[in-house]
């Protein structure tokens, strides 16, 4: 296990809790879409209007953006810039860190304000942090092989047989 | 590191194509993108300069299918190869599960290959990784060019640890999928161990 890049593992129970927080944030902030993305660019949860979005591409670009911002912070001897905001004509995006590993993204339009979004994000962050801390602890204490030892070379080969 | 989601039964892994400038990392991804079924791929993103040099990264998401009930997804990234983009390269290596080093076979690029490989090792160390312990494959690209060095010479210089190595001509696809498969296999085998 690499101590700087611990494995992220998600279980049913925590996924439900995280999803509920994302849904509530979506309602309370009157935002269009809520995304939770891990810093490596993997989508963890989505709430609101996400069907029309290319969430895979968005996740990768948001993670790249946050990584670049983190790199700038280091050069300026800042520990981290914990939030950033891009304002567009129709749509704006607010990105903030949850703990060390997760990015909370809020996409919103004229239906709400940046102030309300920030206020609600803060509350959601407080609820999310302990859940991700628990997940991080679980990842180090529970076996992380998803298929146990029973997966064969043939199983892996079969993936490429088309 | 990979992201294992027991709730949605998905495994997500990150593969990075590394190598000196103009060695063909982006061309590898473009070929994979062009030859993959639409339902198995997402959009390919290239953050490039106006002259089509990679500025930050290329990104290509692939779904390979199921393994024991888990959907396997691979996120392929390239780094910008030019020497002065080192800060960006470090960022892209974060959370990597497997690395493909794309070497440029031309003799004039010998030093650039050596320098880039050394840079890979150092940048991985900064992230707490050891190249010798990571899933890792070597690709000798541009085999069709007249000034290409012999495989023996390249292998001796670039692959002392004898990881799987492949000859490639990325624009026409030769060796491209063999390289990807070998790397993906290593990553899944590593997951099986439950690292």
């Amino acid at each position: 296990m690499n101590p700087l890049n611990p494995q992220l593992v998600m279980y049913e129970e925590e996924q439900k809790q995280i999803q509920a927080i994302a849904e509530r944030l979506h309602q309370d902030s009157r935002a269009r879409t809520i995304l939770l993305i891990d810093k490596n660019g993997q989508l963890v949860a989505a709430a609101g209007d996400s069907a029309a979005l290319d969430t895979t591409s968005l996740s990768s670009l948001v993670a790249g953006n946050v990584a670049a911002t983190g790199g700038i912070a280091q050069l300026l001897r800042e520990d981290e810039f914990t939030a950033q905001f891009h304002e567009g004509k129709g749509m704006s995006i607010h990105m903030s860190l949850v703990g060390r590993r997760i990015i909370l993204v809020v996409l919103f339009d004229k239906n709400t304000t940046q102030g309300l979004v920030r206020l609600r994000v803060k509350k959601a962050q407080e609820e999310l942090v302990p859940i991700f801390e628990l997940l991080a602890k679980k990842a180090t204490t529970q076996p992380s092989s998803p298929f146990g030892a029973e997966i064969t070379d043939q199983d892996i080969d079969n993936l490429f047989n088309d | 590191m990979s992201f294992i989601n027991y709730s949605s039964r998905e495994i997500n892994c990150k593969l990075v194509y590394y190598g000196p400038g103009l060695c063909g990392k982006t061309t590898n991804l473009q070929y994979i993108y062009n030859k993959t079924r639409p339902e198995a791929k997402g959009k390919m993103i290239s953050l490039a300069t106006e002259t089509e040099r990679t500025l930050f990264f290329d990104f290509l998401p692939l779904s390979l299918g199921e393994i024991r009930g888990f959907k396997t997804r691979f996120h392929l990234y390239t780094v910008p190869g030019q020497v002065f983009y080192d800060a960006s390269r470090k960022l892209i290596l974060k959370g990597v599960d497997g690395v493909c080093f794309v070497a440029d076979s031309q003799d004039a690029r010998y030093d650039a290959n050596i320098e880039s490989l050394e840079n890979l090792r150092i940048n991985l160390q900064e992230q707490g990784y050891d190249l010798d312990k990571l899933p890792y494959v070597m690709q000798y690209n541009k085999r069709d060019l007249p000034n290409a060095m012999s495989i023996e010479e390249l292998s001796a210089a670039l692959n002392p640890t004898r990881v799987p190595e492949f000859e490639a001509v990325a624009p026409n696809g030769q060796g491209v999928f063999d390289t990807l498969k070998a790397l993906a296999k290593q990553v899944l085998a590593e997951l099986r161990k439950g690292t």
Side-chain angles (χ1 to χ4, degrees), chain B residues 28 31 139-144 166-179:
Chain B
N28 262 270
Y31 185 82
Q139 181 187 81
Y140 307 117
N141 195 19
K142 308 198 185 184
R143 297 307 301 158
D144 55 330
F166 300 89
E167 295 186 49
V169 182
N172 69 25
Q174 186 195 320
V176 168
F177 273 98
D178 292 338
T179 310

Side-chain angles (χ1 to χ4, degrees), chain B residues 60-77:
Chain B
L60 173 59
L62 289 182
S63 299
L64 282 186
E66 285 196 9
I67 191 162
R68 300 276 161 143
F70 275 84
K71 283 177 227 139
T72 55
R73 291 183 208 278
F74 287 87
H75 286 183
L76 276 50
Y77 285 84

Side-chain angles (χ1 to χ4, degrees), chain B residues 84-98:
Chain B
F84 52 88
Y85 287 137
D86 198 38
S88 302
R89 274 195 294 279
K90 287 180 191 182
L91 297 177
I92 291 148
L93 283 176
K94 282 187 180 176
V96 65
D97 292 298

Side-chain angles (χ1 to χ4, degrees), chain A residues 33-84:
Chain A
T33 313
I34 310 294
L35 301 174
L36 278 145
I37 296 166
D38 107 302
K39 272 191 173 177
N40 298 332
Q42 317 277 8
L43 182 67
V44 176
D49 187 8
S50 67
L53 289 172
D54 180 354
T55 51
T56 307
S57 298
L58 254 175
S59 301
S60 153
L61 287 172
V62 163
N65 190 341
V66 168
T69 307
I72 294 169
Q74 274 191 343
L75 288 176
L76 300 178
R77 302 213 173 100
E78 264 297 321
D79 184 30
E80 209 145 28
F81 293 120
T82 49
Q84 47 179 316

